[in-house]
Amino acid sequence: DQQVKQNSPSLSVQEGRISILNCDYTNSMFDYFLWYKKYPAEGPTFLISISSIKDKNEDGRFTVFLNKSAKHLSLHIVPSQPGDSAVYFCAASGTGSGGSNYKLTFGKGTLLTVNP
Amino acid sequence: KAGVTQTPRYLIKTRGQQVTLSCSPISGHRSVSWYQQTPGQGLQFLFEYFSETQRNKGNFPGRFSGRQFSNSRSEMNVSTLELGDSALYLCASSLQDPLNEQFFGPGTRLTVL
């Protein structure tokens, strides 16, 4: 039972254009969401997060959008750069009451390739 | 500030053996989480420790266990290894809660023959 789904295993975009990575979740108790980036032979690194009380969070070139009714979130990278080429993981957590259960559920990841 | 370190980086074992993996969190971090990453799968949560207490556990068999020491260092143990246990095991630390920024180590690549 996969509670966090990243349905696109890979995505290819041109440098300077927008990259949109999507993530769907099924567990209505999730109320906190994160994106991590992973380069080969390295551990994942935290990118950006969003709480369910918001529908958008922005940090530089990275913006995460949350649509609670659709149980969908997306990560936008604008403009995309070749150094953004990596695997991006969506993760979710929560108890439905705003508390932490200290557990992250990850999707399978999307490989983003940004072509020069 | 040193990052999260994991030892060993690579390990080869045979079926039926047991293995212990070690994780040293960033200084001052008290929360340590463990994940298993296999080809075609995302990161699957194993367990999380804070101040030597396990606060949550993933859906793994009892062969997978862990512990945390008073200095926040953590170990995980897998007994009676199976071929399907071959994976990258990642450790991550955070100050108090993995929902805040977690810092991951490079992982231990376990191969079971």
Side-chain angles (χ1 to χ4, degrees):
Chain A
D1 172 30
Q2 204 180 349
Q3 299 184 63
V4 177
K5 300 178 185 177
Q6 294 178 257
N7 292 318
S8 298
S10 63
L11 175 68
S12 183
V13 300
Q14 286 299 119
E15 181 178 5
R17 306 294 289 269
I18 183 172
S19 295
I20 300 177
L21 297 110
N22 294 304
C23 178
D24 297 294
Y25 61 97
T26 58
N27 189 336
S28 58
M29 303 294 273
F30 287 152
D31 52 22
Y32 198 80
F33 306 89
L34 308 90
W35 285 92
Y36 278 81
K37 176 171 74 173
K38 186 179 186 300
Y39 294 118
E42 294 182 14
T45 54
F46 170 76
L47 263 180
I48 192 169
S49 62
I50 188 167
S51 163
S52 62
I53 62 173
K54 294 184 172 183
D55 54 19
K56 176 182 173 182
N57 190 25
E58 198 169 350
D59 183 2
R61 296 186 297 113
F62 301 91
T63 303
V64 57
F65 295 93
L66 175 62
N67 183 333
K68 290 184 289 292
S69 60
K71 293 192 175 67
H72 176 85
L73 63 155
S74 60
L75 174 69
H76 292 211
I77 305 173
V78 184
S80 302
Q81 299 172 354
D84 296 330
S85 298
V87 176
Y88 288 78
F89 290 99
C90 169
S93 183
T95 61
S97 59
S100 176
N101 65 358
Y102 315 112
K103 173 182 177 179
L104 292 184
T105 300
F106 282 81
K108 293 185 179 182
T110 296
L111 173 63
L112 173 65
T113 303
V114 181
N115 302 303
Chain B
K1 201 177 200 181
V4 178
T5 58
Q6 293 187 245
T7 56
R9 291 293 310 278
Y10 301 92
L11 205 48
I12 300 176
K13 291 284 189 179
T14 56
R15 278 179 298 174
Q17 288 187 307
Q18 67 94 27
V19 67
T20 299
L21 311 181
S22 181
C23 172
S24 292
I26 290 172
S27 177
H29 284 194
R30 295 167 65 190
S31 168
V32 174
S33 299
W34 287 90
Y35 299 88
Q36 180 196 65
Q37 186 182 12
T38 53
Q41 299 291 327
L43 283 72
Q44 294 183 281
F45 174 79
L46 281 156
F47 21 67
E48 191 265 357
Y49 288 90
F50 180 84
S51 291
E52 302 178 69
T53 299
Q54 186 183 90
R55 294 194 292 192
N56 207 334
K57 185 179 189 302
N59 296 325
F60 279 82
R63 299 185 297 106
F64 291 82
S65 63
R67 59 177 176 168
Q68 186 181 34
F69 302 95
S70 58
N71 62 358
S72 295
R73 192 177 70 83
S74 178
E75 289 181 347
M76 67 163 282
N77 185 279
V78 188
S79 62
T80 319
L81 283 166
E82 301 178 359
L83 295 179
D85 297 333
S86 294
L88 180 67
Y89 290 88
L90 291 159
C91 165
S93 76
S94 58
L95 278 170
Q96 305 232 8
D97 191 328
L99 266 62
N100 299 320
E101 185 174 357
Q102 278 189 109
F103 294 82
F104 280 80
T108 294
R109 172 71 63 184
L110 172 65
T111 302
V112 182
L113 303 176

